[in-house]
Amino acid sequence: MTTPADTAPRIPEAVHRRRWAILGVLMLSLLIVVLDNSILNVAIKTISTPAPTGLGATQSELEWAINSYTLVFAGLLFSAGLLGDRLGRKKVLLGGLLVFGIGSALAASSGSPVELISFRAVMGLGAAFVMPATLAVLMNVFERDEQPKAIGIWAGGVGLAIAIGPITGGILLDHFWWGSVFLINVPIVIVALGLMIWLVPDSRDPKPGRIDPVGVVLSVIGLVLLVYGIIKGGQLADFTDAKVLATIGAGLVVLVGFVVHEKRSDHPSIDIDYFRNKVFSAAIAAIALVFFALMGVTFFSVFYTQSVRGYSPLQTGLLMLPLAVAQLVFAPRARLVVDRFGNRATTTAGMLTIAAMLAAFAALEADTPIWILEVIFFLMGAGMAHIMTPTSVVIMQALPREKAGSASALSNTFRQVGGALGIAVLGSVLSAAYRSGIEDKLPEAARHEAGESIEATLGFAAKLGPKGDALIGPANDAFLHAMHVTALCGAGVAVVGALVVYLFLPGRTPTQAKKETNLASADH
């Protein structure tokens, strides 16, 4: 069984007094890491445009601009969490922010897709140290009874970043060159660094034990191989390719080796026994599955709004606003729903809402009234809020406070691997379904390149001049069919997530029943 987190008050009075200001600084740090990915989603189309407007990046290079960040981020998250617990979370947070800021400045000045991919990897390195540290510091400045509220606000901050990202990206792309979407991070990093040095206390595991270099190396190699194989399978739209299978297989073998080593070690990086707790494991699985479904959808919804519907990057950003507003409104209050109905009912309802909204994408056509998309996004955000807050609280409170960095890193690692799998698997479903729908409409010589994506087809049509107009309708039809197939696959994954949380998360506890009246009155 899991060691419960301590309940005795241990937060120094000076830290306790400024806890909400500290939460604000942590959210600012988190904001730029999340904001950066949602900004890039809106800039994808511009970066794929030939120079001087963009970099002329191919579909494969665009995916690597997203995935080089994900690969480094997911590969190092776990080790970064361990280092934070050992060296001090404030130091790790400051170092991560600095690297992220430098990577952002370099990405903004990229002269080619290859440079952009490399500098995005540097940003991923910085982000890997920022993300787990924000939640770990939060656990060490709030007492246990306030942690669900603080985690709810933290999760709402993720929603805010998801909204601000596309809108900020759209405004910047309307007025400046594509690199401005990365350069915007630099002033935010400078402000966050100053506030952090001033306000945030340092904390670490007082008894970290000896370092486990073998475990750290195995976790990094295993995660990098696994995520790389997943991404490659998505790019080739073929998960039966020998290289893809070999890479994923090697990653899984190394991760099994990591688990065996951790079980035998007398100073493990992570106590594998934590996973024997069904509640802890189900909460982590839920986060991975929901991000699998959502990341794949976010990827294709940008092409639906921009390529099929003809909206600008800024308009696309504004269309995503309901998703974030719902998260911002519901995430901080999700704990009240948990107190009323329990973790199981709240999270299962959230998962089923996500599944229903993904299935609703299968009904969207080129002329569907846009308010329907807005309702879908809003309900998706509400579903997310009622999954992220309860599962994050379950994960963070399942481990002792000293291991907060490791707990945060574990949940973020599974979130990233789930997201990478979502983009790769659902991206390959989208690509294969699109190619089968458009190939026979394209000249044989152009089928491979022009059939890669709707953007590639529209680019080919533009080169043909007036003759190319005949391709626009079939391209839209093929994309819509591919989107419908992909959305239904995502909905299926969300239903599996709903089943996992329904079977393994706890229902309403007697303590929650007693607390309900007090909490409701305190909040009103």
Side-chain angles (χ1 to χ4, degrees), residues 443-466:
E444 202 162 329
R447 278 180 187 175
H448 181 70
E449 244 179 75
E452 195 178 51
S453 67
I454 185 167
E455 277 307 302
T457 308
L458 295 177
F460 175 72
K463 283 179 196 166
L464 295 178

Side-chain angles (χ1 to χ4, degrees), residues 480-523:
L480 287 167
H481 169 69
M483 182 178 87
H484 296 162
V485 171
T486 311
L488 290 173
C489 291
V493 171
V495 169
V496 172
L499 198 61
V500 168
V501 293
Y502 178 75
L503 291 174
F504 298 111
L505 283 192
R508 192 165 176 241
T509 62
T511 320
Q512 284 172 334
K514 284 178 194 170
K515 274 173 65 184
E516 184 196 313
T517 319
N518 302 337
L519 273 167
S521 57
D523 260 270

Side-chain angles (χ1 to χ4, degrees), residues 306-321:
Q306 288 190 40
S307 304
V308 177
R309 303 298 295 256
Y311 289 102
S312 70
L314 175 56
Q315 288 168 326
T316 298
L318 291 167
L319 287 172
M320 298 285 283
L321 202 51

Side-chain angles (χ1 to χ4, degrees), residues 303-448:
F303 289 104
Y304 172 69
T305 52
Q306 288 190 40
S307 304
V308 177
R309 303 298 295 256
Y311 289 102
S312 70
L314 175 56
Q315 288 168 326
T316 298
L318 291 167
L319 287 172
M320 298 285 283
L321 202 51
L323 178 81
V325 167
Q327 277 205 352
L328 200 57
V329 169
F330 293 114
R333 304 192 68 78
R335 75 188 196 289
L336 302 176
V337 183
V338 171
D339 284 326
R340 182 75 187 270
F341 300 105
N343 269 314
R344 181 191 297 149
T346 306
T347 316
T348 305
M351 276 288 191
L352 290 174
T353 303
I354 295 274
M357 291 311 103
L358 290 173
F361 264 97
L364 295 179
E365 299 294 343
D367 57 354
T368 302
I370 205 67
W371 65 265
I372 293 175
L373 181 67
E374 298 299 86
V375 171
I376 291 172
F377 278 148
F378 182 81
L379 292 172
M380 279 177 86
M384 273 290 288
H386 291 94
I387 299 164
M388 285 302 292
T389 303
T391 51
S392 297
V393 172
V394 165
I395 291 164
M396 295 308 292
Q397 291 193 343
L399 270 63
R401 200 187 313 225
E402 290 76 21
K403 305 291 180 190
S406 303
S408 174
L410 271 173
S411 71
N412 279 304
T413 301
F414 276 83
R415 186 171 69 81
Q416 283 301 312
V417 171
L421 257 171
I423 289 174
V425 175
L426 296 181
S428 69
V429 170
L430 185 75
S431 178
Y434 178 75
R435 192 182 284 281
S436 70
I438 195 71
E439 264 186 341
D440 59 349
K441 311 285 191 303
L442 293 166
E444 202 162 329
R447 278 180 187 175
H448 181 70

Side-chain angles (χ1 to χ4, degrees), residues 169-184:
I171 293 168
L172 290 169
L173 292 171
D174 273 4
H175 295 92
F176 304 102
W177 96 117
W178 64 265
S180 60
V181 301
F182 299 114
L183 201 60
I184 190 72

